[in-house]
Amino acid sequence: MKAGASLETKYINLKEKIDNEKIKEASQDILNGKLVLFPTETVYGIGANALDEKACENIFKAKGRAQDNPLIVHVSNLEMIKQIVEEPNELEKKLIKAFCPGPFTIILKAKDIIPRSVTAGLDTVGIRMPSNEIAHKLIEYANVPIAAPSANISGRPSGTNIDDIINEFNGKVASIIDAGAVDIGVESTVVRVINEKVRILRPGKITKEDIENLGVEVEVDKNILGKYDGKEKVMSPGMKYRHYAPNTKCMMIYSKDEEKMIDKIKETANGKNVLIICKDKNYDKYNCKNIIKMGNTLEEIAHNIFSILRKVDKYNVDLVIIEGMQKDGLGLALNNRLLRACEYNYIEI
Ligand code: TXA
Ligand code: MG
């Protein structure tokens, strides 16, 4: 057991094959007020019974999470949604019908049954119905909604495989369900309906374009690509906090013209002790000692990026330079996470 940790953590290996009995055991931990680390299709979550105030307080302790940053609540069916939120309006129902289950979180008006430690005192709560089979079964067997933020110490990139986060949570949770690397790799799209429009508060795999295809108006919150200025009230508390940034200084360089981008990165790297994070297809174009490939497509980059960000401090370089990417589709989510990892140190030419 890890120093400072107080629990014997059960390790449940479901990498090769799903074992319902093992998931049932973990659902008992949830019902006993304990924490369970479990996979979803987006990132790993650290979950507790969303109706158990004390258990949810322990999530904040385990993550070192700010008390004013609310948790999202995971459900396995529509009945559970009814139990915890007021009746959604027509547009909200349309979104639920289109994107649940899936990598999608919708902010709705919370009923009093949801404890304050989950909502952080807001009158709303984020609802998400994961499509991942293990997450779905865990909720279904427990038969209670599960509050779960991403599994990472606050400020660090979200955990996308157990190897990256086991040291952060061993001894702090009752069980860890290991299902290998998650599918998507970035957290769910968070939306809220405001004045008959859908506002994206956090971009994800369900894109602005996917939502627009329903024939509805979509706005992207200005804090998604802009830096929070500390003045106005944010629509989503998570936007205020430092997130994803390694200790090493990072910057992102982008041009729609790939050759121009590569030249600018080479020029910036010249004579410096740097690490370059680039698309696989550009790997041979850099003559750099430290280089990490992140995939070629937006999907591949999403899948790999958090694990890569967790590795960069090991390189002992002065600067990390990341190739930028398009801002539409899944690229909006990647730009949102990477801009924060770079603390908005961004050049576009
Ligand atoms: O994919 C995901 O959403 C993962 C997996 C585990 O489901 N969960 C996740 O949770 O990313 P978390 O807590 O790391 O991020 C939830 C975000 C935070 O930025 C939080 O501030 C915001 O959603 N949020 C939660 N409740 C909210 C509310 N009532 N109003 C506005 N924003 C809210
Ligand atoms: Mg998080």
Side-chain angles (χ1 to χ4, degrees):
M1 202 192 301
K2 222 183 121 196
S6 55
L7 269 176
E8 204 58 67
T9 297
K10 267 193 306 276
Y11 173 79
I12 302 173
N13 185 348
L14 303 186
K15 282 201 274 200
E16 301 302 325
K17 147 168 162 298
I18 291 181
D19 178 338
N20 292 339
E21 290 312 309
K22 291 272 168 25
I23 304 174
K24 275 183 196 154
E25 278 174 33
S27 73
Q28 278 305 316
D29 289 331
I30 294 282
L31 290 173
N32 289 333
K34 304 271 175 42
L35 306 183
V36 174
L37 212 153
F38 66 99
T40 81
E41 67 277 26
T42 55
V43 297
Y44 276 85
I46 171 170
N49 177 354
L51 308 179
D52 182 336
E53 170 111 60
K54 276 260 149 324
C56 292
E57 280 169 12
N58 284 333
I59 295 180
F60 285 80
K61 286 187 198 139
K63 280 193 59 138
R65 184 176 176 102
Q67 297 287 338
D68 72 345
N69 195 2
L71 306 178
I72 61 180
V73 174
H74 298 66
V75 298
S76 56
N77 56 55
L78 294 173
E79 278 311 304
M80 264 188 203
I81 300 185
K82 286 193 188 137
Q83 192 194 355
I84 55 187
V85 294
E86 301 295 345
E87 173 90 4
N89 66 29
E90 288 312 309
L91 178 49
E92 289 162 345
K93 281 185 189 156
K94 194 172 188 171
L95 294 167
I96 293 169
K97 189 157 180 261
F99 301 122
C100 297
F104 184 75
T105 298
I106 182 163
I107 308 294
L108 294 167
K109 181 98 175 38
K111 284 188 176 163
D112 289 342
I113 188 173
I114 297 290
R116 241 189 111 77
S117 57
V118 172
T119 61
L122 300 176
D123 60 0
T124 53
V125 63
I127 301 293
R128 164 149 144 72
M129 193 187 287
S131 59
N132 175 281
E133 186 181 347
I134 296 172
H136 175 81
K137 286 184 169 165
L138 183 69
I139 307 164
E140 200 74 3
Y141 293 146
N143 200 23
V144 291
I146 296 183
S150 52
N152 54 279
I153 295 297
S154 277
R156 312 249 315 135
S158 302
T160 52
N161 63 75
I162 291 297
D163 293 345
D164 282 354
I165 50 176
I166 192 150
N167 288 331
E168 290 178 21
F169 294 107
N170 206 13
K172 293 184 182 172
V173 299
S175 33
I176 290 179
I177 306 179
D178 189 349
V182 295
D183 288 344
I184 297 172
V186 291
E187 310 88 341
S188 63
T189 306
V190 178
V191 305
R192 179 165 176 179
V193 171
I194 302 167
N195 300 330
E196 292 301 303
K197 286 184 199 145
V198 181
R199 169 94 55 99
I200 298 181
L201 303 181
R202 181 177 69 184
K205 174 84 171 131
I206 304 291
T207 62
K208 177 172 186 272
E209 296 80 359
D210 291 334
I211 305 171
E212 279 169 345
N213 281 339
L214 298 178
V216 303
E217 222 180 306
V218 184
E219 299 173 336
V220 174
D221 195 280
K222 71 177 177 43
N223 289 306
I224 281 174
L225 295 183
K227 190 174 181 176
Y228 173 53
D229 58 14
K231 289 188 195 127
E232 294 162 53
K233 188 168 174 288
V234 281
M235 285 302 298
S236 182
M239 290 173 174
K240 288 188 305 199
Y241 296 104
R242 187 173 188 271
H243 211 336
Y244 311 112
N247 292 323
T248 316
K249 187 177 167 194
C250 298
M251 75 182 298
M252 182 156 66
I253 296 180
Y254 179 59
S255 170
K256 287 196 178 92
D257 178 338
E258 190 113 314
E259 291 311 313
K260 233 167 118 181
M261 173 180 76
I262 292 168
D263 285 345
K264 184 71 186 169
I265 292 175
K266 283 183 180 162
E267 182 196 313
T268 311
N270 192 20
K272 296 197 190 80
N273 179 22
V274 303
L275 164 67
I276 294 174
I277 301 176
C278 68
K279 291 186 207 81
D280 297 12
K281 65 183 165 75
N282 295 337
Y283 184 82
D284 291 334
K285 304 204 172 132
Y286 300 103
N287 184 12
C288 185
K289 184 164 99 195
N290 304 304
I291 186 156
I292 303 180
K293 292 192 248 183
M294 63 181 174
N296 281 319
T297 64
L298 296 175
E299 278 73 19
E300 285 164 359
I301 298 171
H303 189 261
N304 298 331
I305 198 68
F306 286 163
S307 207
I308 292 174
L309 287 175
R310 283 173 169 273
K311 288 189 183 81
V312 303
D313 287 331
K314 296 192 185 113
Y315 281 78
N316 283 314
V317 294
D318 300 324
L319 178 69
V320 179
I321 308 177
I322 308 170
E323 283 187 352
M325 61 218 60
Q326 65 192 78
K327 295 180 191 66
D328 57 347
L330 184 57
L332 185 66
L334 290 170
N335 275 279
N336 167 260
R337 308 311 193 274
L338 286 169
L339 279 169
R340 303 180 83 186
C342 296
E343 304 192 275
Y344 303 91
N345 194 2
Y346 178 69
I347 297 175
E348 182 165 344
I349 49 167

